Amino acid sequence: MAQDYDEVRPDVAEASEKTLQQVQSMDAPTAKSVQSDLEEVDHSEGQELPGAIVLDELVVEVIPEAEDEFTCGSCFLVRHRSQVALEKNGMKFCRECEG
């Protein structure tokens, strides 16, 4: 006789029915109660959430390249001239990029 392997076993069906009844009997909050709870709480009172966007200006002092420095044509980092590994078509490349 052929056996249907897709059929739910009786013990599993009974256990899942009990679990469903337990979940339904729980005192779960409704969508309206959750919404009203969220509206009551004001998160903006002096607290800053992590990762929040701050509307302050970032002030950075830009220092021009010195005479003994160069900007690598590959990684675009400012390096000391002792780090020059290759100069090609007017571009200088550092040891790390050429190594």
Side-chain angles (χ1 to χ4, degrees), residues 17-81:
E17 182 65 30
K18 286 181 184 177
T19 304
L20 178 61
Q21 289 173 357
Q22 289 174 347
V23 169
Q24 289 174 341
S25 68
M26 291 175 128
D27 187 23
T30 63
K32 287 184 179 181
S33 68
V34 170
Q35 172 119 11
S36 65
D37 289 345
L38 290 174
E39 288 174 354
E40 289 175 7
V41 177
D42 186 13
H43 294 288
S44 63
E45 291 182 13
Q47 295 179 357
E48 188 174 311
L49 299 174
I53 297 175
V54 180
L55 299 176
D56 294 337
E57 287 187 29
L58 181 63
V59 179
V60 178
E61 182 182 352
V62 178
I63 302 171
E65 192 176 285
E67 291 181 21
D68 62 341
E69 295 177 331
F70 73 100
T71 303
C72 177
S74 180
C75 65
F76 303 105
L77 293 175
V78 177
R79 307 271 187 173
H80 189 263
R81 68 174 174 221

Side-chain angles (χ1 to χ4, degrees), residues 77-90:
L77 293 175
V78 177
R79 307 271 187 173
H80 189 263
R81 68 174 174 221
S82 64
Q83 295 289 315
V84 174
L86 176 70
E87 186 171 348
K88 185 176 183 182
N89 297 332

